[in-house]
Amino acid sequence: GLPKRSAMFFARQVWMPTLSAANQFSREGKKGGITVLTRQGKLKKEVNEILEILSRQDVILSTGHLSPREIRVLIREAKRKKIQKILVTHPDHPLLAFPAGDQKNLAREGVCFDRCFPTKTMCVLTMENMAAMIREVGVSSTVLSTDFGQPENPTPVEGMERYLIGMKKYGFSDKEIDQMVKGNPAHLQEKGIAVEIPNSKHQAPSTKQIPNSKHQTNSKNQYVNPKPGKLFFCKIDYNV
């Protein structure tokens, strides 16, 4: 279980497990990895603790590389706990491949989707199919990103430029594109607030890992940010 001690982070977004997720391991043909569910299919106690913390903060809950089954259970409980900002991580990635019907149902509940650049290895959709998916599920629930940074892909900036050209090609207006790359992300990230994350064997990031910030600890060994306006994403894979 997670220790009672906790660290304070100024964060706007918290991810569930990504590369260490059991769903990721399974796709890579490996055993193990982190699942957020018990053998009975319920959320683990530690995950409920994290959701309780997030329910008291204005922070984005991202689903990471969890399986569709895990995501459905996670979102159901997050909604029950009144968590307002939920972002499904690349729903069209081969890891997930969420059907359009399921995405539409989640969108009706206020869930948003982080739609990454469609490549052959990172998406089950072509650019044209991605445009059609967005049309079906909705511009208002869509955030466009690239998920690039790998050697075999363009730079994130180049990728985003190509993505927007593709969206324009398949009929999206400048206003709609602005909403997906500016308006929707701005709404999700409109408030940077202190998030209390249960501590684990993972160490808090050092100042060197956080560009343009000067984090320090207070008398309670809690990390504090003297400039809360700075954007600080908190991505933590807990062994839960």
Side-chain angles (χ1 to χ4, degrees):
L2 294 172
K4 293 183 179 180
R5 292 187 60 190
S6 62
M8 292 297 294
F9 290 96
F10 282 86
R12 294 182 180 178
Q13 190 164 356
V14 173
W15 280 262
M16 288 290 108
T18 54
L19 297 181
S20 61
N23 187 43
Q24 176 80 35
F25 273 41
S26 176
R27 179 170 177 77
E28 295 173 354
K30 300 188 296 187
K31 296 181 179 180
I34 300 171
T35 177
V36 297
L37 302 181
T38 65
R39 292 182 179 179
Q40 292 73 38
K42 297 181 179 180
L43 279 185
K44 291 182 176 179
K45 177 183 176 182
E46 296 87 350
V47 181
N48 271 302
E49 289 178 11
I50 292 172
L51 294 185
E52 284 290 348
I53 292 167
L54 298 186
S55 71
R56 301 192 293 271
Q57 310 290 341
D58 188 17
V59 176
I60 306 165
L61 169 64
S62 286
T63 57
H65 291 188
L66 301 181
S67 69
R69 177 180 177 232
E70 290 175 293
I71 290 172
R72 292 185 185 97
V73 176
L74 177 74
I75 290 177
R76 183 166 61 244
E77 184 60 23
K79 283 293 181 181
R80 194 183 73 80
K81 287 179 166 40
K82 309 299 184 184
I83 294 175
Q84 300 299 316
K85 298 178 179 179
I86 302 173
L87 187 64
V88 175
T89 311
H90 44 55
D92 309 300
H93 193 284
L95 280 167
L96 302 177
F98 259 108
D102 288 356
Q103 293 190 34
K104 288 166 70 174
N105 289 337
L106 291 174
R108 292 189 193 101
E109 297 178 25
V111 174
C112 291
F113 303 91
D114 180 8
R115 302 190 186 279
C116 300
F117 190 105
T119 68
K120 291 182 179 179
T121 58
M122 297 170 62
C123 188
V124 297
L125 305 176
T126 62
M127 185 69 75
E128 183 177 7
N129 294 148
M130 177 65 79
M133 178 70 80
I134 294 171
R135 280 292 179 212
E136 185 170 357
V137 179
V139 168
S140 62
S141 63
T142 292
V143 171
L144 298 184
S145 65
T146 67
D147 208 16
F148 283 174
Q150 305 84 1
E152 67 272 19
N153 286 321
T155 67
V157 173
E158 292 170 333
M160 181 58 77
E161 182 180 16
R162 295 183 191 181
Y163 206 172
L164 302 189
I165 289 173
M167 292 295 100
K168 188 78 172 177
K169 175 183 177 180
Y170 291 110
F172 287 92
S173 67
D174 289 341
K175 183 178 180 180
E176 289 173 320
I177 291 173
D178 276 354
Q179 182 175 353
M180 293 187 286
V181 299
K182 299 177 184 178
N184 294 341
H187 171 70
L188 288 168
Q189 299 178 11
E190 63 187 355
K191 194 172 184 180
I193 191 167
V195 185
E196 186 177 354
I197 301 295
N199 201 359
S200 71
K201 64 181 180 181
H202 296 76
Q203 297 299 313
S206 68
T207 303
K208 292 181 180 179
Q209 295 172 303
I210 309 169
N212 302 320
S213 69
K214 295 180 180 179
H215 284 67
Q216 56 190 354
T217 56
N218 59 21
S219 59
K220 295 182 180 180
N221 199 32
Q222 296 173 331
Y223 277 76
V224 295
N225 185 350
K227 296 181 179 180
K230 295 289 185 180
L231 182 61
F232 175 28
F233 290 103
C234 181
K235 187 173 184 179
I236 301 174
D237 281 2
Y238 281 113
N239 186 16
V240 294

